[in-house]
Amino acid sequence: MSTTRATGCPECDGRLTADGDETVCEGCGLVVSTDRLDRGPEWRSFEDDDRNPARCGAPLTRSRHDRGLSTEIGRDGRGKNRKWSRLRRQHRRTQIRSKRERNQVYGFTEIRRLMGALELPDRIRDQSCSLFESAQSEDLLRGRSIEGFASAAVYAACRVAGVSRTTDEILDAAKATAAEHRAAYDAMNRELGLPVSAAEPAEFVARFASELDLGQAVRRRARELAEAAVESGHANGRNPGGVAAGALYLAARREGETVTQAEAADVADVTAVTVRTTYQALQD
């Protein structure tokens, strides 16, 4: 919206008009002055309205016991190291006020470590932390391993979200033993009523195909073979990753792409015998 100033142009004494951040002469076009100041609000709103004046700080996250609202005493490097080290130590101690929070910090730290090791997205991290917190609220951690519940929460979150990760893949990266993981997952599934179903072999096809560098035609045929294995009952009681690897091996042979049974078994973390058994059953 343009406004007119009372003073004239210093060159031709013409009429000045302020338009946006510039003041120009209507007669000769001289730019008399510019105003680069942003006179809007100092905060940024990511909502559809102006009711959220948040302008600083990291977003809230469920992956930390305090939702990411904690503060830290920084380091300025200007001396008084002993004094500030003592203050930082006391400040850290006040951030964890109970054994429950200490266990939660340790569990969330283990979950974040597993996220990096397994290359899982943030939505799985937040869901895993939420499941761990629910298990703690139901007093399921008493007498059980915190590492076991961390790995079980990650596995359960993957199952609920349909992200293909096997138990062996979780345990390879986790600090928990197989027994601790199984006990924690059973307790969570029983007490929290997790909405999970049996893992389908087709869920693993895309990831295994990417690791084997196989084409789209092989992926489509392997998915059809994996679904056929479920319908025929061959996948019942078998490792879904092994069934997916066998389906990929057969699909690659039919599409003329090169992949060995050992390579297919390696990406699925199963033996070549498992791949060969699935391959022969699907071929029949």
Side-chain angles (χ1 to χ4, degrees):
M1 181 177 180
S2 300
T3 58
T4 303
R5 295 190 177 183
T7 58
C9 173
E11 293 291 334
C12 66
D13 202 26
R15 187 180 182 182
L16 299 182
T17 302
D19 188 4
D21 58 1
E22 293 182 342
T23 301
V24 298
C25 174
E26 293 182 353
C28 65
L30 175 69
V31 178
V32 178
S33 64
T34 59
D35 184 5
R36 297 293 182 183
L37 294 178
D38 182 1
R39 303 189 183 279
E42 65 171 339
W43 46 265
R44 298 177 62 193
S45 176
F46 296 97
E47 304 292 339
D48 293 333
D49 50 40
D50 57 354
R51 292 179 297 177
N52 180 22
R55 63 181 184 273
C56 62
L60 297 180
T61 173
R62 296 192 65 89
S63 64
R64 297 189 180 277
H65 75 289
D66 56 5
R67 298 294 189 270
L69 292 174
S70 60
T71 58
E72 294 183 2
I73 298 178
R75 301 173 184 269
D76 58 7
R78 294 182 296 179
K80 300 181 181 180
N81 292 333
R82 295 182 60 184
K83 172 186 175 182
W84 289 107
S85 296
R86 183 174 69 254
L87 289 174
R88 278 192 292 270
R89 183 170 59 252
Q90 293 174 348
H91 182 65
R92 285 195 299 268
R93 288 174 178 173
T94 60
Q95 290 178 327
I96 301 176
R97 294 167 293 182
S98 63
K99 183 178 179 181
R100 173 190 173 84
E101 286 192 359
R102 186 179 300 108
N103 291 341
Q104 195 174 88
V105 168
Y106 183 73
F108 285 3
T109 302
E110 174 66 4
I111 288 174
R112 291 196 301 273
R113 188 188 67 81
L114 287 173
M115 293 298 107
L118 297 169
E119 298 181 354
L120 293 170
D122 290 346
R123 62 188 178 91
I124 302 297
R125 178 201 65 193
D126 294 342
Q127 183 65 24
S128 302
C129 292
S130 179
L131 287 173
F132 184 93
E133 189 174 5
S134 297
Q136 193 176 31
S137 299
E138 294 296 326
D139 203 22
L140 302 182
L141 271 67
R142 186 182 298 274
R144 296 189 176 98
S145 166
I146 296 177
E147 294 91 343
F149 271 92
S151 64
V154 172
Y155 179 66
C158 289
R159 292 281 299 276
V160 171
V163 177
S164 58
R165 289 296 186 275
T166 63
T167 304
D168 291 338
E169 288 177 307
I170 300 291
L171 289 176
D172 285 343
K175 295 181 179 179
T177 64
E180 292 171 342
H181 173 87
R182 184 167 53 253
Y185 181 76
D186 289 345
M188 292 176 64
N189 197 21
R190 181 177 61 253
E191 300 297 332
L192 301 181
L194 300 176
V196 297
S197 57
E200 298 289 341
E203 296 176 9
F204 298 86
V205 168
R207 183 161 61 93
F208 292 169
S210 296
E211 295 182 22
L212 293 170
D213 196 22
L214 297 173
Q216 289 295 331
V218 176
R219 299 187 187 195
R220 286 193 296 270
R221 179 163 291 203
R223 180 176 289 275
E224 293 172 358
L225 291 169
E227 293 172 352
V230 174
E231 293 175 1
S232 64
H234 174 75
N236 295 343
R238 296 180 182 273
N239 185 334
V243 176
L248 277 170
Y249 176 70
L250 177 57
R253 285 178 62 90
R254 290 183 175 176
E255 294 295 332
E257 295 201 31
T258 303
V259 61
T260 65
Q261 293 181 7
E263 290 172 339
D266 185 58
V267 297
D269 196 21
V270 296
T271 64
V273 175
T274 301
V275 175
R276 186 161 52 250
T277 302
T278 302
Y279 158 69
Q280 293 172 347
L282 291 175
Q283 198 173 33
D284 294 338

